[in-house]
Amino acid sequence: MTKATKEYDNIPGTFVFDAERSRQGYHINMFCMSLLKAENRAEFKANEAKYLDKFPMTAEQRDSVLKRQWNRMLELGGNIYFTAKLGATDGLSFQQVAAMMTGKTQEEYAKMMLDGGRNPDGNRYKSEWENKK
Amino acid sequence: MAKIVAGIGCSHVPAIGAALDLGKNGEPYWVRVFSGFEESQKWIAKEKPDVCIVVFNDHATAFSVEMIPTFAIGCAAEFAPADEGWGPRPVPVVPGHPELANHIAQSCILDEFDLTICNKMEVDHGLTVPMNLLFGKVDKWPCPIIPLAVNVVQFPPPTGNRCFNLGKAIRKAVESYPEDLKVMIFGTGGMSHQISGPRAGLINSHFDKNFLDGLTGDPVALTKMRHVEYMREAGAEGVEMVMWLVMRGALNESVKEVRRFYTVPASNTAVGHIILDNRV
């Protein structure tokens, strides 16, 4: 069976959290979910690697969490509403996390938003990003 | 007989709640956002709804990836504000309306909308931010609330058409409730925004304006919009605007737009707000 093509995979810079990613990222997301409890946040901060042993993630997923590779976590099945809890645990505002995902400084990102945000023109299809390179 | 007198569309950006909680609402950046709701607060204070049904989405708070109900109705007597990672928001506990909520659940299920019934549910900013925007910072919420959570976290969310038809079923349920109640329904979330991945920060004011126009004038056309179009045009997370169609489905074909507000940005998101009077 060949893998079905998904129309939304053609949107650039976007990892749609569908059933496949949800299955793949179950333990990343459950780890993030555990951070809703203050005592778990404290335990995680005290020893991140040890705390992560409780969640059977792949080595790649674990590495992306420890290195705070925000896009990689999404690509490996993390969902933004879950990974945002890791950002909050780190004391980051959501906008700081968003800036990191876009490769901008927080100042640059905040300015882009104040100027009306990222324009959809040129950002609808993957081919538009490839042409820019 | 209970009656739906108005529908309210309202963004639920978490940073708005944080700004209010941290007392930043007097800063120019936030005044721009909050000032857009002053008239609406006066309007709702004068209208005094008996119950509000708030259609919102849970952001990995009450529901994780363990259970993902597509539509879930809160039937509890009260709903506690959740700890979303930095302590619960300092807002009052949300009172429910178990009698009407259970009636709606029963009526919708018999009408072939199989709602998940939640007798215990914590609520996050998705519900409490729109309540603050319409009711202000209060010690006690002015009326009971029925939370209706829609999955927009894991793809696919319900279609816009399904949401619209659920709104119709909710209306039928409300109108078959014997007590005279003045009910309002909120559709929350949006407007355009993408908060994930390298394309984060996307805003599409043109799309948003058309959506608001369509909501008032031609909602059936909006129900035909596909998820991929929402995501491409209004951002991956912008797809949550389907929730506004539950609200719109609960209203008459013809409504009166009494209020509209739009501003960019609140943090990462375009803020939209509309009030549709259903008594025309």
Side-chain angles (χ1 to χ4, degrees):
Chain A
M1 194 181 91
T2 51
K3 215 171 145 187
T5 43
K6 300 168 182 168
E7 212 179 341
Y8 50 76
D9 278 345
N10 194 15
I11 304 173
T14 301
F15 309 104
V16 175
F17 186 69
D18 57 11
E20 195 178 333
R21 282 216 167 85
S22 180
R23 206 163 58 237
Q24 182 191 4
Y26 184 82
H27 295 292
I28 298 189
N29 292 321
M30 289 310 287
F31 149 68
C32 291
M33 199 70 194
S34 75
L35 300 176
L36 282 182
K37 291 207 168 76
E39 62 266 31
N40 291 341
R41 295 197 283 272
E43 194 187 329
F44 172 67
K45 281 186 198 169
N47 188 336
E48 295 197 0
K50 192 175 161 213
Y51 186 81
L52 289 181
D53 287 342
K54 296 181 184 181
F55 301 89
M57 299 179 207
T58 65
E60 247 184 323
Q61 289 172 329
R62 187 184 161 96
D63 195 48
S64 70
V65 171
L66 289 170
K67 291 183 178 151
R68 303 297 194 271
Q69 294 167 329
W70 301 101
N71 285 325
R72 188 73 180 139
M73 280 183 251
L74 302 182
E75 200 176 351
L76 297 173
N79 172 275
I80 190 64
Y81 297 120
F82 291 79
T83 58
K85 302 183 197 316
L86 177 59
T89 301
D90 286 346
L92 299 172
S93 73
F94 189 80
Q95 204 174 56
Q96 285 173 303
V97 177
M100 285 189 256
M101 287 186 289
T102 63
K104 292 182 190 292
T105 65
Q106 197 204 344
E107 290 72 29
E108 288 165 347
Y109 183 85
K111 185 174 182 309
M112 174 179 80
M113 294 316 299
L114 270 175
D115 291 344
R118 185 187 304 279
N119 196 308
D121 292 345
N123 293 309
R124 290 185 173 92
Y125 297 93
K126 276 192 172 159
S127 60
E128 295 178 300
W129 280 27
E130 280 149 17
N131 294 341
K132 269 196 286 192
K133 282 176 191 163
Chain B
M1 181 183 98
K3 205 165 170 14
I4 296 182
V5 296
I8 296 169
C10 185
S11 296
H12 61 217
V13 187
I16 295 176
L20 200 62
D21 300 343
L22 300 171
K24 289 184 183 172
N25 44 315
E27 294 175 7
Y29 182 98
W30 290 108
V31 166
R32 175 175 49 81
V33 175
F34 287 105
S35 62
F37 291 87
E38 283 168 8
E39 285 304 312
S40 302
Q41 288 191 6
K42 286 182 203 158
W43 177 87
I44 207 164
K46 204 176 104 215
E47 290 287 348
K48 291 191 180 53
D50 295 315
V51 187
C52 289
I53 300 166
V54 181
V55 182
F56 76 112
N57 71 285
D58 178 81
H59 302 77
T61 307
F63 305 117
S64 66
V65 274
E66 287 181 323
M67 281 175 272
I68 308 173
T70 295
F71 294 116
I73 187 165
C75 295
E78 58 178 40
F79 306 92
D83 182 345
E84 299 177 56
W86 43 85
R89 288 196 61 212
V91 293
V93 167
V94 177
H97 196 301
E99 297 80 11
L100 179 57
N102 277 296
H103 172 82
I104 292 172
Q106 179 173 302
S107 173
C108 285
I109 291 166
L110 294 175
D111 217 2
E112 303 184 346
F113 279 89
D114 311 317
L115 305 182
T116 297
I117 293 163
C118 298
N119 289 317
K120 185 174 182 191
M121 175 163 72
E122 291 192 337
V123 290
D124 67 15
H125 68 269
L127 182 117
T128 56
V129 165
M131 287 176 62
N132 278 135
L133 286 173
L134 271 296
F135 297 124
K137 200 171 177 171
V138 291
D139 295 327
K140 188 173 174 275
W141 298 113
C143 69
I145 301 294
I146 299 176
L148 185 91
V150 180
N151 164 49
V152 298
V153 172
Q154 179 170 321
F155 186 89
T159 64
N161 187 51
R162 183 75 176 154
C163 288
F164 191 73
N165 286 332
L166 173 61
K168 289 185 181 183
I170 290 172
R171 176 191 186 143
K172 200 167 136 188
V174 168
E175 290 181 350
S176 66
Y177 191 71
E179 196 184 334
D180 279 332
L181 291 174
K182 197 170 173 181
V183 180
M184 291 190 185
I185 181 164
F186 286 48
T188 73
M191 295 188 82
S192 58
H193 68 302
Q194 176 152 338
I195 59 166
S196 60
R199 199 176 75 135
L202 186 116
I203 297 284
N204 190 340
S205 304
H206 181 72
F207 177 96
D208 292 339
K209 185 184 176 296
N210 285 342
F211 190 87
L212 290 170
D213 288 347
L215 207 63
T216 304
D218 190 5
V220 174
L222 289 183
T223 65
K224 294 175 183 147
M225 199 183 331
R226 297 163 62 228
H227 291 128
V228 67
E229 195 181 335
Y230 279 101
M231 294 193 291
R232 198 186 306 286
E233 294 297 326
E237 285 73 34
V239 71
E240 71 190 25
M241 275 187 269
V242 294
M243 292 188 292
W244 291 42
L245 293 172
V246 180
M247 173 272 279
R248 187 61 182 90
L251 309 180
N252 298 330
E253 212 174 297
S254 170
V255 291
K256 187 178 169 209
E257 184 177 321
V258 292
R259 176 106 191 103
R260 184 194 286 210
F261 173 65
Y262 184 76
T263 187
V264 176
S267 187
N268 307 280
T269 305
V271 176
H273 170 48
I274 200 164
I275 298 180
L276 303 173
D277 196 313
N278 201 35
R279 295 162 295 191
V280 286

Tab-separated table of all heavy atoms in Angstrom, chain A residues 98-127:
chain	number	residue	atom	x	y	z
A	98	ALA	N	7.086	30.874	19.848
A	98	ALA	CA	6.706	31.064	18.445
A	98	ALA	C	7.866	31.676	17.659
A	98	ALA	O	8.181	31.242	16.549
A	98	ALA	CB	5.468	31.954	18.360
A	99	ALA	N	8.520	32.657	18.252
A	99	ALA	CA	9.661	33.299	17.571
A	99	ALA	C	10.730	32.259	17.263
A	99	ALA	O	11.267	32.215	16.149
A	99	ALA	CB	10.219	34.420	18.441
A	100	MET	N	11.021	31.386	18.228
A	100	MET	CA	12.055	30.367	18.010
A	100	MET	C	11.683	29.431	16.862
A	100	MET	O	12.537	29.040	16.086
A	100	MET	CB	12.274	29.573	19.301
A	100	MET	CG	13.067	30.361	20.328
A	100	MET	SD	13.544	29.322	21.722
A	100	MET	CE	12.399	29.868	22.947
A	101	MET	N	10.393	29.109	16.753
A	101	MET	CA	9.976	28.200	15.673
A	101	MET	C	10.141	28.839	14.296
A	101	MET	O	10.294	28.146	13.305
A	101	MET	CB	8.513	27.761	15.885
A	101	MET	CG	8.355	26.779	17.035
A	101	MET	SD	6.685	26.108	17.206
A	101	MET	CE	5.812	27.532	17.800
A	102	THR	N	10.091	30.164	14.256
A	102	THR	CA	10.180	30.837	12.958
A	102	THR	C	11.606	31.282	12.644
A	102	THR	O	11.849	31.884	11.602
A	102	THR	CB	9.275	32.087	12.919
A	102	THR	OG1	9.739	33.021	13.907
A	102	THR	CG2	7.835	31.735	13.203
A	103	GLY	N	12.530	31.022	13.580
A	103	GLY	CA	13.914	31.423	13.357
A	103	GLY	C	14.129	32.923	13.476
A	103	GLY	O	15.102	33.474	12.947
A	104	LYS	N	13.232	33.599	14.150
A	104	LYS	CA	13.380	35.043	14.355
A	104	LYS	C	13.714	35.306	15.821
A	104	LYS	O	13.449	34.474	16.687
A	104	LYS	CB	12.053	35.758	14.040
A	104	LYS	CG	11.652	35.737	12.573
A	104	LYS	CD	10.345	36.518	12.397
A	104	LYS	CE	9.754	36.354	11.025
A	104	LYS	NZ	10.519	36.959	9.935
A	105	THR	N	14.248	36.489	16.097
A	105	THR	CA	14.374	36.889	17.497
A	105	THR	C	12.978	37.281	17.969
A	105	THR	O	12.080	37.538	17.155
A	105	THR	CB	15.300	38.115	17.674
A	105	THR	OG1	14.676	39.236	17.030
A	105	THR	CG2	16.669	37.878	17.071
A	106	GLN	N	12.822	37.362	19.274
A	106	GLN	CA	11.493	37.717	19.771
A	106	GLN	C	11.111	39.118	19.307
A	106	GLN	O	9.948	39.379	18.979
A	106	GLN	CB	11.435	37.625	21.296
A	106	GLN	CG	9.986	37.577	21.771
A	106	GLN	CD	9.788	38.052	23.188
A	106	GLN	OE1	10.747	38.155	23.951
A	106	GLN	NE2	8.554	38.353	23.541
A	107	GLU	N	12.092	40.024	19.258
A	107	GLU	CA	11.809	41.402	18.821
A	107	GLU	C	11.326	41.400	17.372
A	107	GLU	O	10.358	42.082	17.028
A	107	GLU	CB	13.058	42.291	18.953
A	107	GLU	CG	13.466	42.600	20.400
A	107	GLU	CD	14.066	41.396	21.126
A	107	GLU	OE1	14.668	40.518	20.456
A	107	GLU	OE2	13.907	41.314	22.363
A	108	GLU	N	12.040	40.651	16.535
A	108	GLU	CA	11.654	40.589	15.107
A	108	GLU	C	10.245	40.014	14.950
A	108	GLU	O	9.440	40.496	14.172
A	108	GLU	CB	12.631	39.708	14.315
A	108	GLU	CG	14.000	40.319	14.099
A	108	GLU	CD	15.027	39.268	13.628
A	108	GLU	OE1	14.753	38.043	13.696
A	108	GLU	OE2	16.110	39.698	13.218
A	109	TYR	N	9.997	38.964	15.724
A	109	TYR	CA	8.696	38.291	15.630
A	109	TYR	C	7.583	39.223	16.115
A	109	TYR	O	6.546	39.366	15.458
A	109	TYR	CB	8.710	36.989	16.446
A	109	TYR	CG	7.423	36.207	16.331
A	109	TYR	CD1	7.214	35.331	15.272
A	109	TYR	CD2	6.406	36.370	17.268
A	109	TYR	CE1	6.020	34.623	15.155
A	109	TYR	CE2	5.209	35.668	17.156
A	109	TYR	CZ	5.024	34.805	16.099
A	109	TYR	OH	3.840	34.116	15.981
A	110	ALA	N	7.814	39.865	17.264
A	110	ALA	CA	6.794	40.769	17.822
A	110	ALA	C	6.517	41.905	16.843
A	110	ALA	O	5.369	42.332	16.667
A	110	ALA	CB	7.256	41.315	19.165
A	111	LYS	N	7.577	42.377	16.164
A	111	LYS	CA	7.392	43.468	15.193
A	111	LYS	C	6.574	42.984	13.999
A	111	LYS	O	5.660	43.683	13.534
A	111	LYS	CB	8.750	44.002	14.723
A	111	LYS	CG	8.602	45.215	13.809
A	111	LYS	CD	9.918	45.863	13.439
A	111	LYS	CE	9.702	47.103	12.570
A	111	LYS	NZ	8.833	46.891	11.389
A	112	MET	N	6.881	41.771	13.542
A	112	MET	CA	6.106	41.219	12.419
A	112	MET	C	4.613	41.162	12.790
A	112	MET	O	3.752	41.523	11.986
A	112	MET	CB	6.611	39.811	12.066
A	112	MET	CG	5.766	39.094	11.009
A	112	MET	SD	6.368	37.444	10.578
A	112	MET	CE	5.733	36.459	11.936
A	113	MET	N	4.340	40.741	14.007
A	113	MET	CA	2.935	40.644	14.434
A	113	MET	C	2.295	42.025	14.503
A	113	MET	O	1.175	42.220	14.034
A	113	MET	CB	2.817	39.927	15.783
A	113	MET	CG	3.230	38.457	15.782
A	113	MET	SD	2.632	37.462	14.397
A	113	MET	CE	0.858	37.602	14.606
A	114	LEU	N	3.016	42.978	15.081
A	114	LEU	CA	2.464	44.342	15.180
A	114	LEU	C	2.221	44.950	13.804
A	114	LEU	O	1.303	45.748	13.615
A	114	LEU	CB	3.417	45.243	15.965
A	114	LEU	CG	3.179	45.289	17.467
A	114	LEU	CD1	4.258	46.124	18.140
A	114	LEU	CD2	1.788	45.856	17.810
A	115	ASP	N	3.046	44.544	12.849
A	115	ASP	CA	2.883	45.055	11.480
A	115	ASP	C	1.793	44.302	10.714
A	115	ASP	O	1.650	44.472	9.502
A	115	ASP	CB	4.215	44.958	10.713
A	115	ASP	CG	5.251	45.934	11.252
A	115	ASP	OD1	4.846	46.874	11.983
A	115	ASP	OD2	6.452	45.760	10.973
A	116	GLY	N	1.051	43.458	11.394
A	116	GLY	CA	-0.077	42.788	10.732
A	116	GLY	C	0.125	41.304	10.529
A	116	GLY	O	-0.716	40.637	9.945
A	117	GLY	N	1.260	40.785	11.008
A	117	GLY	CA	1.490	39.338	10.925
A	117	GLY	C	2.114	38.912	9.609
A	117	GLY	O	2.398	39.731	8.731
A	118	ARG	N	2.327	37.614	9.488
A	118	ARG	CA	2.909	37.047	8.263
A	118	ARG	C	1.832	37.023	7.193
A	118	ARG	O	0.751	36.473	7.386
A	118	ARG	CB	3.380	35.623	8.557
A	118	ARG	CG	4.113	34.941	7.419
A	118	ARG	CD	4.383	33.465	7.742
A	118	ARG	NE	5.125	33.269	8.981
A	118	ARG	CZ	6.446	33.385	9.091
A	118	ARG	NH1	7.181	33.665	8.034
A	118	ARG	NH2	7.044	33.199	10.262
A	119	ASN	N	2.132	37.653	6.079
A	119	ASN	CA	1.156	37.726	4.990
A	119	ASN	C	0.948	36.343	4.358
A	119	ASN	O	1.914	35.632	4.126
A	119	ASN	CB	1.692	38.702	3.941
A	119	ASN	CG	0.627	39.146	2.969
A	119	ASN	OD1	-0.066	38.317	2.378
A	119	ASN	ND2	0.485	40.448	2.803
A	120	PRO	N	-0.289	35.975	4.081
A	120	PRO	CA	-0.477	34.658	3.432
A	120	PRO	C	0.141	34.591	2.031
A	120	PRO	O	0.508	33.498	1.585
A	120	PRO	CB	-1.994	34.498	3.372
A	120	PRO	CG	-2.575	35.824	3.682
A	120	PRO	CD	-1.552	36.630	4.422
A	121	ASP	N	0.266	35.734	1.378
A	121	ASP	CA	0.844	35.705	0.021
A	121	ASP	C	2.274	35.176	0.068
A	121	ASP	O	3.100	35.651	0.830
A	121	ASP	CB	0.831	37.112	-0.608
A	121	ASP	CG	-0.593	37.581	-0.898
A	121	ASP	OD1	-1.506	36.731	-0.879
A	121	ASP	OD2	-0.781	38.791	-1.110
A	122	GLY	N	2.535	34.171	-0.730
A	122	GLY	CA	3.865	33.562	-0.765
A	122	GLY	C	4.044	32.497	0.306
A	122	GLY	O	5.118	31.915	0.442
A	123	ASN	N	2.988	32.248	1.085
A	123	ASN	CA	3.095	31.293	2.191
A	123	ASN	C	2.002	30.231	2.173
A	123	ASN	O	1.658	29.678	3.212
A	123	ASN	CB	3.047	32.059	3.526
A	123	ASN	CG	4.266	32.937	3.728
A	123	ASN	OD1	5.391	32.464	3.602
A	123	ASN	ND2	4.042	34.206	4.002
A	124	ARG	N	1.444	30.006	0.994
A	124	ARG	CA	0.333	29.052	0.906
A	124	ARG	C	0.773	27.646	0.494
A	124	ARG	O	0.175	26.671	0.915
A	124	ARG	CB	-0.714	29.554	-0.085
A	124	ARG	CG	-1.486	30.773	0.398
A	124	ARG	CD	-2.589	31.137	-0.587
A	124	ARG	NE	-3.427	32.197	-0.047
A	124	ARG	CZ	-3.240	33.500	-0.258
A	124	ARG	NH1	-2.225	33.908	-1.012
A	124	ARG	NH2	-4.051	34.393	0.277
A	125	TYR	N	1.776	27.582	-0.375
A	125	TYR	CA	2.186	26.286	-0.940
A	125	TYR	C	3.690	26.085	-0.746
A	125	TYR	O	4.464	27.039	-0.798
A	125	TYR	CB	1.856	26.229	-2.441
A	125	TYR	CG	0.369	26.329	-2.682
A	125	TYR	CD1	-0.239	27.559	-2.924
A	125	TYR	CD2	-0.430	25.182	-2.617
A	125	TYR	CE1	-1.622	27.648	-3.105
A	125	TYR	CE2	-1.802	25.270	-2.800
A	125	TYR	CZ	-2.394	26.504	-3.046
A	125	TYR	OH	-3.749	26.588	-3.203
A	126	LYS	N	4.071	24.840	-0.570
A	126	LYS	CA	5.489	24.534	-0.373
A	126	LYS	C	6.338	25.058	-1.526
A	126	LYS	O	7.445	25.530	-1.326
A	126	LYS	CB	5.690	23.029	-0.206
A	126	LYS	CG	5.457	22.606	1.237
A	126	LYS	CD	5.909	21.203	1.526
A	126	LYS	CE	5.803	20.964	3.037
A	126	LYS	NZ	5.729	19.549	3.390
A	127	SER	N	5.778	24.981	-2.735
A	127	SER	CA	6.557	25.421	-3.902
A	127	SER	C	6.948	26.894	-3.781
A	127	SER	O	8.009	27.302	-4.230
A	127	SER	CB	5.743	25.197	-5.183
A	127	SER	OG	4.529	25.936	-5.110
